Amino acid sequence: MSIQTADFDYVRTLLRERAAIVLEPGKEYLVEARLLPVARSFGCEGLGDLVRRLRFGGEAPLVTRVVEAMTTNETSWFRDLHPFDALATMVIPDTIRVRAGEKRLRMWCGAASSGQEPYTVLMVLAEKFPELAGWNIEFLATDISSEMVAKCNAGRYSQLEMNRGMPTPLLLKYFERDGLDWKVRDELRKRVTFRTMNLAAPWPSLGTLDVVFLRNVMIYFDVPTKRSILAGIRRVLRPGGWLFLGSAESTLGLDDGFERVTEGKAVVYRNRKD
Amino acid sequence: MKALIVDDSRAMRMILARTLKELGFDTVEALHGGDALEQIAVCGPFDLAIVDWNMPEMDGLEFVRRVRGTHCADSMRIVMVTTESEAERVAAALSAGADEYVMKPFTKDALSSKLEIIGLALP
């Protein structure tokens, strides 16, 4: 999956020329994360193939997509909104019913990126479920990139990042100014553990989970890897437990161990009980 | 849907007008808070007002207070788009009656996401 130095340099030059964007050395992970889905959607074998087509074909739609993918930051707070509504109206109430005895809730976010998703989940819990106050909540958030995990742990975001989808009342409640940036307040930050983890490599022990978030990451993988990841999730998700995928992702044709449940405008997948 | 852009910077008004048009709004521009109140009196309430903070004659915060205090456009959603980014300032704008707050610099998708939060997303 790693990008070759010459290919990275080519993408850097392209971005500088087309979008006046300077990509520093060390941002290879960003190019990989953003351009792999583009490579797949254009039928390329991988990033090497994509850059070869850019170099020698220079097809306008491909160039445009590459520049857009590198300049549009897709990560936002409450991304797509509806999954977080479904979390509040269906998934957490159901989990509270199931786990009422032991008062324990275990969640995993498998593509934490720069942290907006796990922190959004925590804000939903804090805002909507005061009854969870006495519960033992374990929330693990992982990402393949150690840079991203460091950013998640720092919990520090620019104003540009804070603008993207963050309701202002929640900004004031859960963040504090830190120079020109905003920082997640400790009370929220200490409720999640961030770690590196490669979804395509053997997984560490995750225990039994109630809710898994794996949104907008399956698009990076080929079909056998997607199947293997979904099978892995079924092994760690308790029967009846919930899986969130990205809006363009599905278990359809990959794994029939999940039941597709529609809640409002969101689709959530449930580990079949049988 | 109709949007009122209230900003003393011509360049900023142009950027906001272009962005809002791309998001499906018809736009009217005002140079400061007083001008914006006149536009509301003439054109009737807008669906949305995008308001800068620092402007001559009547600043954005005073405009928000007047609109909310006089109930001249209760259904109009107000988003402040400003360089003011201290938490106290943001809180003051919300308590005056602004519905959302965007800190400059901003991008089209950021503004769009804020409009979605206040129920103004267009299909």
Side-chain angles (χ1 to χ4, degrees), chain A residues 159 163-166 168 177, chain B residues 85 100 103 105 109 113-114:
Chain A
Q159 291 186 172
N163 275 336
R164 208 170 274 126
M166 171 65 73
T168 304
R177 277 297 292 268
Chain B
S85 59
E100 258 302 337
M103 297 169 283
D109 63 314
S113 74
K114 291 286 193 173

Side-chain angles (χ1 to χ4, degrees), chain A residues 249-262:
Chain A
E249 298 163 330
S250 165
T251 60
L252 197 69
L254 295 168
D255 193 314
D256 58 8
F258 291 94
E259 177 193 354
R260 187 179 188 276
V261 181
T262 304

